[in-house]
Amino acid sequence: MSNVKNSNLIALTVACIGVVFGDIGTSPLYALKESFSSSHGIPLSNQAILGIISMLFWSMIIVVSLKYVYFVLKADNNGEGGILALMALALRQDKKNKDKNTGSLRWIFLCGIFGACMFYGDAIVTPAISVLSAVEGLEIAAPSLGEYVLPITSIILIFLFSIQKYGTYIMGRLFGPTTLVWFLTIALLGIYHIVQDMQILKAVNPYYAINFFIHHTHQGFIVLGSVFLVLTGAEALYADMGHFGIKPIRRAWFAVVMPSLMLNYFGQGALLINNPKAAVNPFFIMVPEIFQIPVVILATFATCIASQAVISGAFSLTSQAMQLGYLPRMKMKYTSSKEIGQIYIPGINWVLLILVLGLVFIFKRSEDLAAAYGIAVTTTMVITTMLASVVMQKVWKWNPLYVKTITGLFIIIDLAFFTANAMKIADGGWLPLLFGLIISFIMLTWYKGKFLLRQKGIQQGLDLKDFLDMLMLSPPHRVDGIAVFLCSEKDSVPPALLHNLKHNRILHENTFFVHLETLDIPKVLDSERFDLVNLDNGLYTVHAKYGFMETPELMKLLQLVEKQLSFSFEIMDTSFFLARESVIPSNIPGMSLWREHIFAWMHRNAIKPSDFFHIPANRVVELGTKVEI
């Protein structure tokens, strides 16, 4: 039994090397090159090289190993990670004392939403900078092909986004082994150069990082924004925890990923000590000439994997946001019958492609894109630290002094990186910030609009049980078959029922009132999926619960319900009644009129509930209603 467990752990460890560490694993392509950019004015002296390598080393130890791998991974929401899961965990604790913590709830909510939106900024920059930096290796391996860098990058990106609709299952099987080869390759390259100049190992001593700042204070702060590039992708450690678990991620990091990255960065440093001119592209210059083309190809595969992971992450985040009510429903396609998390969202996919290609042709060089990269990731890291501090104190009940000490250390480092990257806002950092703010505005507008609709429904709604009791005193004509009414509010009369009684004056022999609720936990067990209440006279209520990482499928729910009944839901005998709301903006207090028009447009263009809940189209009856907000 233990051998089976060990083999499963090893398989998960290898798999997570590709999916979780693809982003941070391709940072050697551009991080050190950007750190020694001529625009920073850093002298290529031995002391400066040792200082920057020391900064890289200790940044990775403190931020990745200590903060994320040791502390943040502990903050799991029923086994799931990511900033929305962290936000839900922090909110759940504060909601217990909602009256006392209204301000705290709002702060946690806004932080979580903006942090999630900044992930989208990361999702447009990562494919652009990763693939572009890999293809730029052609300028070293085959200078005559340098003019084709942009066209080749564009072709690879278009191909990458075009195959998303086929799912990541087949490609995913190659993720782990391919990335494992990548890490072994960069480790060997690092060792090759370290043995040629062992003095680079002095950089393990933090004295060199401190000494660098003493002698290059202003330049050191500027270069800190470039040093941060070695940490990009650290958020994936937490976001992908639910797919692999804590143990495989920690083992992969300490056994393979961190040693390989450290060896490569130290190897690049040793190369620069012996050949300062290599600063133009230290990663590809460190590769022996005979291996340069194969390494360019391997790097391209590795960056595609890193990009694939962040694209899939954008799909997953969008699905979670839709379930939690932060985004309108969009068309989704499940790309795997085995893994529920593997989804494809066409609208998000093509918008991302357009934006990624736009970045490539606007910036043209990976070093120019680096300015846009850091600000998105540092913002998310700062927010993660703040939300984690809430969880440490209010969920884990840790000593407040201990929490303040830990989070104080992390927030100082995070803010130092954030401020260093903020200095590049004018050089391109404004792009992900602007994009994050736009998505935040969309999410908050949708959330507020849905809240106003819900309040309107509550104000105008009737209690379902009281209404049915009155109805049965003088019942309408009963017809054979099964009717399913979706209720937006629990125990409230659905508008579709009122319209059906008004126009058709009938009630089906068996009628179900289904209310779907999304909880602030990732998943709900099927055994706890729903509560069924028999109201007599063939009338039933079904209160179904879903996690924010699940998409409700009404037919699967009914299959679970029928196990408790004496009849089955024959599809040709079942009709689904839905209310199709038309939102009418008005001067009623709530939102600004211009925001109401935006919400109405989003509401009108969201996919139909019948499509989102996978209800057979030929069994749906939609009844329209107008609602003023």
Side-chain angles (χ1 to χ4, degrees):
M1 183 65 72
S2 60
N3 289 335
V4 174
K5 289 183 178 179
N6 288 334
S7 63
N8 287 338
L9 185 57
I10 292 172
L12 280 172
T13 302
V14 173
C16 83
I17 286 174
V19 176
V20 176
F21 299 104
D23 191 356
I24 197 171
T26 52
S27 297
L29 289 167
Y30 48 79
L32 207 60
K33 179 175 72 171
E34 177 60 21
S35 297
F36 284 104
S37 171
S38 57
S39 62
H40 298 155
I42 302 294
L44 283 164
S45 63
N46 285 11
Q47 291 300 309
I49 293 169
L50 287 170
I52 289 181
I53 296 298
S54 184
M55 288 165 59
L56 295 175
F57 176 80
W58 285 104
S59 296
M60 201 174 294
I61 291 293
I62 295 172
V63 176
V64 184
S65 298
L66 189 59
K67 174 185 168 181
Y68 278 96
V69 176
Y70 184 74
F71 282 106
V72 176
L73 283 183
K74 292 175 181 285
D76 67 296
N77 188 338
N78 286 37
E80 296 292 341
I83 198 159
L84 282 181
L86 185 62
M87 179 190 75
L89 190 62
L91 281 173
R92 192 186 315 154
Q93 193 66 22
D94 266 19
K95 282 177 181 176
K96 294 178 181 178
N97 300 305
K98 187 173 181 180
D99 294 337
K100 298 179 181 179
N101 299 321
T102 303
S104 175
L105 285 169
R106 186 178 297 112
W107 174 82
I108 294 171
F109 172 73
L110 291 175
C111 281
I113 289 295
F114 189 65
C117 291
M118 290 310 296
F119 179 85
Y120 287 105
D122 185 15
I124 62 171
V125 181
T126 294
I129 192 173
S130 298
V131 177
L132 186 56
S133 61
V135 180
E136 281 174 349
L138 287 173
E139 297 174 336
I140 305 298
S144 61
L145 298 177
E147 61 184 296
Y148 299 107
V149 167
L150 287 182
I152 293 173
T153 299
S154 302
I155 291 170
I156 292 172
L157 288 169
I158 291 171
F159 174 75
L160 181 63
F161 280 91
S162 296
I163 63 173
Q164 294 302 313
K165 61 184 176 182
Y166 299 110
T168 60
Y169 178 70
I170 296 176
M171 186 183 290
R173 295 179 65 179
L174 300 174
F175 277 10
T178 303
T179 313
L180 184 59
V181 171
W182 166 255
F183 280 119
L184 292 176
T185 300
I186 65 174
L188 291 172
L189 289 172
I191 293 170
Y192 174 76
H193 286 277
I194 289 171
V195 297
Q196 296 182 36
D197 200 324
M198 300 287 284
Q199 68 170 310
I200 192 63
L201 297 178
K202 294 178 182 178
V204 172
N205 189 338
Y207 161 79
Y208 290 96
I210 297 168
N211 185 60
F212 178 81
F213 266 102
I214 292 173
H215 290 90
H216 305 281
T217 305
H218 177 67
Q219 292 167 314
F221 194 69
I222 293 174
V223 83
L224 194 62
S226 301
V227 169
F228 176 77
L229 294 174
V230 306
L231 308 176
T232 56
E235 277 289 321
L237 295 171
Y238 183 43
D240 289 313
M241 178 172 60
H243 296 290
F244 299 99
I246 296 176
K247 281 188 177 180
I249 290 175
R250 284 179 172 168
R251 285 196 176 191
W253 172 252
F254 287 114
V256 178
V257 180
M258 187 178 74
S260 299
L261 291 172
M262 293 296 193
L263 287 170
N264 191 263
Y265 286 125
F266 275 74
Q268 289 188 46
L271 170 68
L272 291 175
I273 289 176
N274 291 316
N275 179 16
K277 292 182 180 179
V280 294
N281 199 326
F283 179 83
F284 283 106
I285 292 177
M286 80 185 300
V287 181
E289 187 174 343
I290 191 172
F291 296 117
Q292 282 180 344
I293 292 294
V295 171
V296 169
I297 295 171
L298 179 61
T300 303
F301 273 106
T303 53
C304 284
I305 290 170
S307 302
Q308 175 64 56
V310 80
I311 294 167
S312 299
F315 294 156
S316 178
L317 182 64
T318 302
S319 175
Q320 293 177 30
M322 285 190 290
Q323 282 300 97
L324 289 168
Y326 303 143
L327 283 175
R329 293 166 183 153
M330 304 178 202
K331 183 179 180 182
M332 288 197 313
K333 174 186 175 184
Y334 289 94
T335 58
S336 172
S337 58
K338 298 180 179 179
E339 298 292 336
I340 191 169
Q342 293 190 13
I343 56 175
Y344 168 65
I345 304 177
I348 297 297
N349 186 66
W350 300 120
V351 168
L352 283 178
L353 173 60
I354 292 168
L355 292 172
V356 168
L357 289 176
L359 285 183
V360 169
F361 283 99
I362 289 171
F363 289 93
K364 295 182 172 63
R365 304 289 304 176
S366 61
E367 54 261 36
D368 295 331
L369 263 171
Y373 201 13
I375 195 70
V377 185
T378 50
T379 303
T380 305
M381 284 188 169
V382 169
I383 292 172
T384 297
T385 299
M386 292 190 293
L387 293 178
S389 69
V390 175
V391 173
M392 287 178 187
Q393 191 165 338
K394 296 190 177 182
V395 180
W396 300 341
K397 306 295 183 183
W398 284 5
N399 185 296
L401 181 61
Y402 182 47
V403 173
K404 289 175 182 177
T405 303
I406 295 170
T407 56
L409 169 66
F410 292 148
I411 203 70
I412 289 171
I413 295 172
D414 289 343
L415 287 175
F417 281 125
F418 176 82
T419 308
N421 278 282
M423 296 174 70
K424 305 180 193 176
I425 287 178
D427 298 324
W430 58 272
L431 254 177
L433 275 178
L434 176 63
F435 192 61
L437 287 170
I438 291 172
I439 299 298
S440 295
F441 169 77
I442 291 172
M443 282 189 172
L444 292 173
T445 298
W446 180 259
Y447 186 81
K448 180 69 173 180
K450 291 292 287 183
F451 172 78
L452 294 174
L453 277 181
R454 191 162 54 250
Q455 290 298 106
K456 195 80 171 181
I458 292 172
Q459 292 170 8
Q460 298 178 352
L462 301 171
D463 182 79
L464 180 61
K465 191 175 186 310
D466 291 344
F467 177 81
L468 293 176
D469 287 343
M470 291 180 60
L471 186 66
M472 289 299 104
L473 294 176
S474 180
H477 179 64
R478 306 296 291 267
V479 296
D480 293 338
I482 302 169
V484 178
F485 290 88
L486 281 183
C487 305
S488 57
E489 298 298 328
K490 184 182 178 183
D491 300 325
S492 182
V493 178
L497 174 64
L498 296 175
H499 285 286
N500 187 49
L501 290 171
K502 178 180 178 181
H503 296 288
N504 298 324
R505 300 177 184 178
I506 60 168
L507 191 65
H508 285 71
E509 179 184 6
N510 291 291
T511 301
F512 290 80
F513 302 96
V514 180
H515 175 251
L516 307 174
E517 180 184 6
T518 300
L519 305 180
D520 56 5
I521 59 175
K523 295 175 184 176
V524 176
L525 297 174
D526 279 347
S527 58
E528 302 172 0
R529 177 70 66 198
F530 66 92
D531 298 315
L532 175 67
V533 178
N534 186 345
L535 301 177
D536 298 325
N537 299 306
L539 306 173
Y540 305 85
T541 62
V542 179
H543 176 219
K545 293 158 286 188
Y546 290 87
F548 60 77
M549 294 193 71
E550 299 177 292
T551 300
E553 292 192 43
L554 208 52
M555 295 307 300
K556 288 185 178 180
L557 172 64
L558 296 182
Q559 288 172 7
L560 293 174
V561 171
E562 70 181 13
K563 293 178 181 178
Q564 296 187 20
L565 300 170
S566 57
F567 61 88
S568 60
F569 289 90
E570 295 294 339
I571 190 60
M572 297 310 296
D573 290 331
T574 305
S575 299
F576 298 86
F577 290 84
L578 309 177
R580 184 68 170 172
E581 296 172 325
S582 295
V583 176
I584 309 298
S586 70
N587 290 317
I588 299 173
M591 264 196 309
S592 302
L593 189 60
W594 64 276
R595 285 184 71 192
E596 289 181 359
H597 279 285
I598 293 174
F599 172 74
W601 178 83
M602 288 192 289
H603 192 274
R604 189 166 56 251
N605 287 280
I607 68 167
K608 297 179 180 180
S610 55
D611 294 333
F612 186 76
F613 296 125
H614 302 276
I615 304 172
N618 61 342
R619 306 308 305 166
V620 175
V621 179
E622 284 195 341
L623 300 167
T625 180
K626 292 185 178 181
V627 182
E628 283 191 351
I629 60 170

